[in-house]
Coordinates of all heavy atoms in Angstrom, one line a residue:
A1 N 106.5 114.4 95.5 CA 107.6 115.4 95.6 C 107.1 116.7 96.2 O 105.9 117.0 96.0 CB 108.2 115.6 94.2
R2 N 107.9 117.4 96.9 CA 107.5 118.6 97.5 C 107.1 119.7 96.5 O 106.2 120.5 96.8 CB 108.7 119.2 98.4 CG 108.9 118.3 99.6 CD 110.0 118.9 100.5 NE 110.3 118.0 101.5 CZ 111.4 117.3 101.7 NH1 112.4 117.4 100.8 NH2 111.6 116.5 102.7
D3 N 107.7 119.6 95.3 CA 107.3 120.6 94.3 C 106.1 120.1 93.5 O 105.7 120.7 92.5 CB 108.5 120.9 93.3 CG 108.9 119.7 92.6 OD1 108.3 118.6 92.6 OD2 110.0 119.8 91.9
G4 N 105.6 118.9 93.8 CA 104.4 118.4 93.2 C 104.7 117.6 91.9 O 103.7 117.2 91.2
D5 N 105.9 117.5 91.5 CA 106.3 116.8 90.2 C 106.8 115.4 90.5 O 108.0 115.3 90.8 CB 107.3 117.7 89.5 CG 107.6 117.2 88.1 OD1 106.7 116.5 87.5 OD2 108.6 117.5 87.5
G6 N 106.0 114.4 90.4 CA 106.5 113.0 90.5 C 106.6 112.6 92.0 O 105.9 113.1 92.9
L7 N 107.5 111.6 92.2 CA 107.7 111.1 93.5 C 109.2 111.2 93.9 O 110.0 111.4 93.1 CB 107.3 109.6 93.5 CG 105.9 109.2 93.2 CD1 105.8 107.7 92.9 CD2 104.9 109.7 94.2
E8 N 109.4 111.1 95.2 CA 110.8 111.1 95.8 C 111.0 109.8 96.5 O 110.1 109.3 97.3 CB 111.0 112.3 96.7 CG 110.9 113.6 96.0 CD 111.0 114.8 96.9 OE1 110.5 114.7 98.1 OE2 111.5 115.8 96.5
L9 N 112.1 109.2 96.4 CA 112.5 107.9 97.2 C 113.4 108.3 98.3 O 114.4 109.0 98.1 CB 113.1 106.9 96.2 CG 113.6 105.6 96.8 CD1 112.4 104.8 97.4 CD2 114.4 104.8 95.8
F10 N 113.1 107.8 99.5 CA 113.9 108.1 100.7 C 114.4 106.8 101.3 O 113.7 105.7 101.2 CB 113.0 108.8 101.8 CG 112.7 110.2 101.4 CD1 111.6 110.5 100.6 CD2 113.5 111.3 101.8 CE1 111.3 111.8 100.3 CE2 113.3 112.6 101.4 CZ 112.1 112.8 100.6
R11 N 115.5 106.8 102.0 CA 116.1 105.7 102.8 C 116.2 106.2 104.2 O 116.7 107.3 104.5 CB 117.4 105.3 102.2 CG 118.1 104.1 102.9 CD 119.4 103.8 102.3 NE 119.9 102.6 102.7 CZ 120.7 102.4 103.8 NH1 121.0 103.4 104.6 NH2 121.1 101.2 104.1
N12 N 115.8 105.4 105.1 CA 115.9 105.7 106.5 C 116.6 104.5 107.2 O 116.3 103.4 107.0 CB 114.5 105.9 107.1 CG 114.5 106.4 108.5 OD1 115.4 107.1 108.9 ND2 113.5 106.1 109.2
E13 N 117.6 104.8 108.0 CA 118.3 103.8 108.7 C 118.5 104.2 110.2 O 118.8 105.3 110.5 CB 119.7 103.6 108.1 CG 120.6 102.6 108.7 CD 121.9 102.5 108.0 OE1 122.1 103.0 106.9 OE2 122.8 101.8 108.6
R14 N 118.3 103.2 111.1 CA 118.6 103.4 112.5 C 119.0 102.1 113.1 O 118.5 101.0 112.7 CB 117.4 104.0 113.2 CG 116.3 103.1 113.4 CD 115.2 103.9 114.3 NE 114.0 103.1 114.4 CZ 113.8 102.2 115.4 NH1 114.6 102.0 116.3 NH2 112.6 101.5 115.4
M15 N 119.8 102.1 114.1 CA 120.2 100.9 114.9 C 119.0 100.6 115.8 O 118.3 101.5 116.3 CB 121.4 101.2 115.8 CG 122.6 101.6 115.0 SD 123.2 100.3 113.8 CE 123.8 99.1 115.0
L16 N 118.7 99.3 115.9 CA 117.5 98.9 116.7 C 117.6 99.4 118.2 O 116.6 99.5 118.8 CB 117.3 97.4 116.6 CG 116.9 96.9 115.3 CD1 116.9 95.4 115.3 CD2 115.6 97.4 114.8
Q17 N 118.8 99.6 118.7 CA 119.0 100.0 120.0 C 118.7 101.5 120.2 O 118.7 102.0 121.3 CB 120.4 99.7 120.5 CG 120.8 98.2 120.6 CD 121.2 97.7 119.2 OE1 121.4 98.4 118.2 NE2 121.4 96.4 119.1
Q18 N 118.7 102.3 119.1 CA 118.5 103.7 119.2 C 117.0 104.1 119.4 O 116.1 103.3 119.0 CB 119.0 104.4 118.0 CG 120.5 104.4 117.9 CD 120.9 105.1 116.6 OE1 120.2 105.1 115.6 NE2 122.1 105.7 116.6
A19 N 116.8 105.2 120.0 CA 115.4 105.7 120.1 C 114.8 106.1 118.8 O 115.6 106.3 117.8 CB 115.4 106.9 121.1
D20 N 113.5 106.1 118.6 CA 112.9 106.4 117.4 C 113.2 107.8 116.8 O 113.2 108.0 115.6 CB 111.3 106.3 117.5 CG 110.9 104.9 117.6 OD1 111.6 104.0 117.2 OD2 109.7 104.6 118.0
D21 N 113.6 108.7 117.7 CA 113.9 110.1 117.2 C 115.3 110.2 116.6 O 115.7 111.2 116.2 CB 113.7 111.1 118.3 CG 114.6 110.8 119.5 OD1 115.2 109.8 119.6 OD2 114.6 111.7 120.4
A22 N 116.0 109.1 116.6 CA 117.4 109.1 116.0 C 117.4 108.7 114.5 O 118.5 108.4 114.0 CB 118.3 108.1 116.8
D23 N 116.3 108.7 113.9 CA 116.2 108.4 112.5 C 117.0 109.3 111.6 O 117.1 110.5 111.9 CB 114.8 108.3 112.0 CG 114.0 107.2 112.5 OD1 114.6 106.3 113.2 OD2 112.8 107.2 112.4
S24 N 117.6 108.8 110.5 CA 118.3 109.7 109.6 C 117.8 109.4 108.2 O 118.2 108.5 107.5 CB 119.8 109.4 109.7 OG 120.1 108.1 109.4
E25 N 116.9 110.3 107.8 CA 116.3 110.1 106.5 C 117.1 110.7 105.4 O 117.7 111.8 105.6 CB 114.9 110.7 106.5 CG 114.1 110.5 105.2 CD 112.7 111.0 105.3 OE1 112.5 112.2 105.3 OE2 111.8 110.1 105.5
Q26 N 117.3 110.0 104.3 CA 118.1 110.5 103.2 C 117.4 110.4 101.9 O 116.8 109.3 101.5 CB 119.4 109.6 103.2 CG 120.3 109.8 102.0 CD 121.4 108.8 102.1 OE1 121.3 107.7 102.6 NE2 122.5 109.1 101.4
L27 N 117.4 111.5 101.1 CA 116.7 111.5 99.8 C 117.6 110.7 98.8 O 118.8 111.1 98.6 CB 116.5 112.9 99.3 CG 116.0 113.0 97.8 CD1 114.6 112.4 97.7 CD2 116.0 114.5 97.4
L28 N 117.1 109.6 98.2 CA 117.9 108.8 97.3 C 117.7 109.3 95.8 O 118.6 109.2 95.0 CB 117.6 107.4 97.4 CG 118.0 106.7 98.7 CD1 117.6 105.2 98.6 CD2 119.5 106.8 98.9
M29 N 116.4 109.6 95.5 CA 116.1 109.9 94.1 C 114.9 110.7 94.0 O 113.9 110.6 94.8 CB 115.8 108.5 93.4 CG 115.7 108.6 91.9 SD 115.4 106.9 91.2 CE 116.9 106.2 91.6
A30 N 114.9 111.7 93.2 CA 113.8 112.6 92.9 C 113.4 112.4 91.4 O 114.1 111.9 90.6 CB 114.1 114.0 93.2
G31 N 112.2 112.9 91.1 CA 111.8 112.8 89.7 C 111.2 111.5 89.2 O 111.2 111.2 88.1
L32 N 110.9 110.6 90.2 CA 110.3 109.3 89.9 C 108.9 109.5 89.3 O 108.1 110.3 89.8 CB 110.2 108.4 91.1 CG 111.5 108.0 91.7 CD1 111.2 107.4 93.1 CD2 112.1 106.9 90.9
T33 N 108.7 108.9 88.1 CA 107.3 109.0 87.5 C 106.6 107.7 87.7 O 105.3 107.7 87.5 CB 107.5 109.3 86.0 OG1 108.3 108.3 85.4 CG2 108.1 110.7 85.8
R34 N 107.3 106.6 88.1 CA 106.6 105.3 88.2 C 107.4 104.4 89.2 O 108.6 104.4 89.1 CB 106.5 104.6 86.8 CG 105.7 103.4 86.7 CD 105.5 103.1 85.3 NE 105.4 101.6 85.1 CZ 105.6 101.0 84.0 NH1 106.0 101.6 82.9 NH2 105.4 99.7 84.0
V35 N 106.6 103.8 90.1 CA 107.2 102.9 91.0 C 106.3 101.6 91.1 O 105.1 101.7 91.3 CB 107.3 103.5 92.4 CG1 107.9 102.5 93.4 CG2 108.1 104.7 92.4
E36 N 106.9 100.4 90.9 CA 106.2 99.2 91.0 C 107.0 98.2 91.8 O 108.2 98.1 91.7 CB 105.9 98.6 89.6 CG 105.0 99.5 88.7 CD 104.9 98.9 87.3 OE1 105.3 97.7 87.1 OE2 104.3 99.6 86.5
L37 N 106.3 97.4 92.7 CA 106.9 96.4 93.5 C 106.1 95.1 93.2 O 104.9 95.1 93.1 CB 106.8 96.7 95.0 CG 107.5 98.0 95.4 CD1 107.2 98.2 96.9 CD2 109.0 97.8 95.3
R38 N 106.9 94.0 93.1 CA 106.3 92.7 93.1 C 107.0 91.7 94.0 O 108.2 91.9 94.2 CB 106.3 92.1 91.6 CG 105.5 92.8 90.6 CD 105.4 92.1 89.3 NE 106.6 91.6 88.8 CZ 106.6 90.5 87.9 NH1 105.5 90.0 87.4 NH2 107.7 90.1 87.5
C39 N 106.3 90.8 94.6 CA 106.9 89.8 95.5 C 106.7 88.4 94.9 O 105.7 88.1 94.4 CB 106.2 89.9 96.9 SG 106.4 91.5 97.6
F40 N 107.7 87.6 95.1 CA 107.7 86.2 94.6 C 107.7 85.3 95.8 O 108.5 85.3 96.7 CB 109.0 85.9 93.8 CG 109.0 84.6 93.1 CD1 108.1 84.3 92.1 CD2 109.9 83.6 93.5 CE1 108.1 83.0 91.5 CE2 109.9 82.4 92.9 CZ 109.0 82.1 91.9
D41 N 106.6 84.4 95.8 CA 106.4 83.5 97.0 C 107.1 82.1 96.8 O 106.9 81.2 97.6 CB 105.0 83.4 97.3 CG 104.2 82.7 96.1 OD1 104.8 82.3 95.1 OD2 102.9 82.6 96.3
G42 N 107.8 82.0 95.6 CA 108.3 80.7 95.3 C 107.7 80.0 94.1 O 108.2 79.1 93.5

C-alpha cells in the first residue's frame, strides 16, 4: 500500500488489439493483510 499499511489489490483490463499504453488499472481492495494462492493440477 502507498501508505505502507498492508497490501492493495488491483485489476487491469485491456483489449488484446489495444496498445500497451491503453491499460486501465483499478484499485479493487485496500487494507489486505494476507494473500495466498494455490493451484490444483487435478
Side-chain angles (χ1 to χ4, degrees):
R2 291 184 184 110
D3 65 6
D5 189 23
L7 300 168
E8 295 173 328
L9 177 65
F10 290 88
R11 182 180 193 273
N12 190 26
E13 180 178 347
R14 73 174 172 91
M15 300 299 289
L16 292 176
Q17 297 83 5
Q18 290 179 331
D20 286 343
D21 59 353
D23 291 350
S24 59
E25 187 172 73
Q26 175 184 21
L27 175 64
L28 291 180
M29 189 178 293
L32 292 165
T33 57
R34 191 168 148 200
V35 177
E36 295 177 8
L37 298 173
R38 293 191 317 157
C39 299
F40 185 68
D41 64 5

